[in-house]
Amino acid sequence: MDYLLHHLLQRSAELHPDRTAIEEGERSLTYSGLEARSNQMAALLLELGVQRGDRVGLYLDKSIESVVGIYGALKCGAAYVPLDPRAPSARLAYIAGDCDLRVLVTCVDRVESLGGWVEHGAPLETVVVANAAVDPEDVPDGLAIKTARDIDRQDGSIPSVGGIDLDLAYILYTSGSTGAPKGVMLSHLNALTFVRWTIERFGVLPEDRLSSHAPFHFDLSIFDLFAAAAAGAAVVLVPPELAVFPMQVKGFIEERRLTITYAVPSLLSMLTLRGGLEQGDFPQLRTVLFAGEVFPTKFLRRLMELLSHVAFFNLYGPTETNVCTYYPVGPIPEGQTEAIPIGRAIADVEVFAVADDGTLARPGEVGELYVRGTTVMQGYWGDEERTERSLVQDPLRAGLGDRVYRTGDLVRQEPNGDYRLLGRRDHQIKSRGYRIELGDIESALYAHPAVVECAVVAIPDPLVTNRIMAYVVSRDGVGQKDLEVTTEGQEIV
């Protein structure tokens, strides 16, 4: 029985040792190779003192080495904390301090930038450079360095570290309303509930080739990595720079013979509009999954017309629940502009809407969506107050003692049982699939000494869901800036 995430890899290494587990450009690793290399990584981490319950940071571009780092951390009984390699040092240092990252897996190109982390108070002690040797002059003072050679000398046998499925597996940091990111704690069971459902519902097979569009600090990556491992399928890492070039995305899907792809609607919309798609393209592709934001109906309809042989599914769920509902997309009538539903609960999950008076919202009434089940997070790292606000006693079945997650999303249940997403209770918005607190941006702007007052607003955009505009009163007068959202809710002017 696969009751921990890394058991999925272990089983596929036994059943499909020579099958490709992961592809990155011209590089690849078989299941037996990934199992052995991640065992070596785990052995090194254990040698460095990593114990059950510790956190291991991952600070490198999406690569074979980052996947090895993920499994290596899990095999130690630790939780992995994937970090956005393009985020500012101050934000990364905050995350490192918040969850007490002592050991970091990185690549040679990132070592020099760690000096900024140290200056901002990050508690790092040891850095594992997973892909190469490193120039000692690039290493910030006070940090011990291990390299790929130290991984090479480790035994490749399976570490004998225990664990149960309720143990913490990973922490994903998302935008917070106070200007500080919040760490969502997710267990092995949280992820495995979703992964097991996907294998059954989408029929993932060893012959499949799954895309990995999302960065590993984004929750879409859970399907890419672990559903592939569960099935013994290949996961193909999509270079992040490809996302802005729809023609290259098209070429990548064709050349890599992808059979299942999971992406945010903004990427798929751009592919539809500017990818040069023609009727019947991607004959090998059989399933398209999308999540993270609303897919504009006119672009979805057009993509489905072009790829009429493909099954489309809308997956919904905040990071705190991974995916909790899904909707198989059928033919969309010409002229329909209303967004498609988010559908119904996945296996071992219950969703329901609560009206303003605290009662169950009836079909046709507006209510806030609550989620109950084994995909619901453990809480926010180091923030009991926020956890208590979000994980509450089930308002409809208080006597059961269950805690359920308040999504903050307003929904309406259709007569057929499907839920339709209507909006938010708060100021949170989505852009390019990322959940963003406008207050997070305002807090960052107020930190600048030249800013006297500011207001940040979301401007609807059919391609990226929302663009973000900041109105600023500075010591030099009034102005406005259009903010371009990157990852983890970061903004650059």
Side-chain angles (χ1 to χ4, degrees):
M1 177 66 175
D2 303 315
Y3 63 93
L4 298 174
L5 286 168
H6 49 280
H7 292 161
L8 303 174
L9 170 60
Q10 182 179 330
R11 183 166 59 88
S12 281
E14 294 170 354
L15 297 175
H16 312 288
D18 299 325
R19 279 195 174 276
T20 298
I22 186 166
E23 287 186 8
E24 177 203 355
E26 300 305 311
R27 305 167 66 207
S28 65
L29 208 57
T30 63
Y31 271 100
S32 59
L34 180 56
E35 171 72 359
R37 190 61 174 174
S38 58
N39 287 342
Q40 290 179 303
M41 173 65 80
L44 177 59
L45 294 175
L46 289 167
E47 184 180 284
L48 295 173
V50 174
Q51 300 179 18
R52 281 184 63 181
D54 286 348
R55 280 73 54 206
V56 174
L58 300 174
Y59 177 56
L60 62 174
D61 290 320
K62 189 165 59 175
S63 60
I64 287 176
E65 287 76 19
S66 57
V67 177
V68 168
I70 286 171
Y71 281 111
L74 292 173
K75 290 178 178 184
C76 292
Y80 72 90
V81 183
L83 302 161
D84 181 1
R86 291 161 185 78
S89 292
R91 190 176 186 95
L92 295 171
Y94 171 85
I95 293 172
D98 185 58
C99 65
D100 195 29
L101 292 182
R102 304 284 173 166
V103 177
L104 185 76
V105 178
T106 189
C107 58
V108 67
D109 295 339
R110 302 287 176 186
V111 172
E112 194 171 357
S113 67
L114 296 178
W117 293 38
V118 175
E119 291 174 5
H120 285 98
L124 294 182
E125 296 175 355
T126 306
V127 175
V128 178
V129 181
N131 64 338
V134 62
D135 187 337
E137 294 184 2
D138 293 336
V139 181
D141 293 339
L143 293 183
I145 291 288
K146 298 293 182 179
T147 68
R149 286 196 292 267
D150 295 294
I151 303 173
D152 293 340
R153 63 177 176 80
Q154 300 296 324
D155 189 337
S157 58
I158 300 171
S160 57
V161 177
I164 64 172
D165 62 7
L166 295 177
D167 287 346
L168 184 63
Y170 55 101
I171 303 175
L172 301 181
Y173 275 83
T174 66
S175 179
S177 59
T178 62
K182 55 188 179 185
V184 180
M185 300 189 295
L186 295 142
S187 70
H188 289 263
L189 179 60
N190 293 152
L192 284 167
T193 296
F194 168 62
V195 169
R196 290 166 181 156
W197 172 78
T198 63
I199 296 299
E200 181 178 346
R201 183 62 185 83
F202 305 127
V204 186
L205 300 170
E207 296 76 24
D208 276 315
R209 295 173 57 78
L210 282 62
S211 69
S212 175
H213 287 281
F216 292 150
H217 58 274
F218 196 14
D219 60 352
L220 271 68
S221 65
I222 300 305
F223 170 77
D224 305 337
L225 286 175
F226 299 116
V235 61
V236 183
L237 304 184
V238 182
E241 61 271 15
L242 238 64
V244 296
F245 299 108
M247 290 291 291
Q248 291 190 29
V249 172
K250 177 189 176 185
F252 189 90
I253 294 173
E254 290 173 335
E255 293 162 12
R256 297 290 174 160
R257 307 182 314 283
L258 299 180
T259 60
I260 302 175
T261 190
Y262 187 22
V264 294
S266 51
L267 185 149
L268 296 173
S269 293
M270 292 296 293
L271 178 64
T272 305
L273 283 175
R274 301 172 187 170
L277 290 183
E278 296 181 358
Q279 188 78 38
D281 275 347
F282 311 147
Q284 77 288 348
L285 187 66
R286 64 181 181 84
T287 304
V288 170
L289 312 175
F290 56 90
E293 60 196 352
V294 174
F295 201 146
T297 306
K298 62 180 179 180
F299 300 142
L300 175 57
R301 181 192 300 111
R302 180 57 180 157
L303 183 59
M304 292 179 68
E305 289 170 350
L306 292 168
L307 305 179
S308 57
H309 62 288
V310 173
F312 285 77
F313 295 87
N314 182 22
L315 307 187
Y316 160 85
T319 302
E320 288 84 348
T321 69
N322 200 308
V323 167
C324 56
T325 73
Y326 80 109
Y327 179 74
V329 187
I332 301 174
E334 195 67 38
Q336 177 180 326
T337 58
E338 185 179 26
I340 61 171
I342 59 173
R344 307 181 187 194
I346 71 168
D348 206 25
V349 170
E350 183 180 5
V351 296
F352 54 93
V354 176
D356 288 341
D357 63 1
T359 62
L360 182 68
R362 296 188 298 271
E365 294 181 341
V366 176
E368 179 181 353
L369 191 68
Y370 284 58
V371 184
R372 175 175 179 254
T374 52
T375 66
V376 174
M377 68 168 179
Q378 295 182 331
Y380 298 105
W381 179 269
D383 195 337
E384 189 60 31
E385 181 180 345
R386 188 191 296 272
T387 299
E388 291 296 327
R389 290 199 306 267
S390 298
L391 290 180
V392 300
Q393 289 296 313
D394 187 332
L396 306 179
R397 291 167 289 266
L400 295 179
D402 284 359
R403 290 211 296 177
V404 296
Y405 177 67
R406 297 186 62 174
T407 66
D409 284 335
L410 299 176
V411 297
R412 182 183 66 243
Q413 190 175 31
E414 303 290 295
N416 67 358
D418 288 330
Y419 283 92
R420 193 174 291 277
L421 188 63
L422 303 177
R424 291 284 305 174
R425 280 197 181 280
D426 54 24
H427 299 297
Q428 196 178 93
I429 60 105
K430 285 290 190 80
S431 183
R432 295 176 175 84
Y434 287 92
R435 186 177 63 179
I436 301 162
E437 297 271 7
L438 296 181
D440 191 2
I441 306 174
E442 290 176 349
S443 295
L445 291 172
Y446 274 122
H448 195 288
V451 175
V452 178
E453 289 187 63
C454 70
V456 176
V457 297
I459 309 297
D461 183 289
L463 281 180
V464 298
T465 307
N466 286 288
R467 294 189 180 275
I468 301 172
M469 186 75 71
Y471 295 87
V472 178
V473 178
S474 69
R475 302 192 188 283
D476 299 324
V478 180
Q480 70 180 51
K481 289 290 185 181
D482 189 5
L483 302 180
E484 183 72 17
V485 178
T486 63
T487 54
E488 261 195 355
Q490 307 292 325
E491 290 76 30
I492 56 174
V493 175

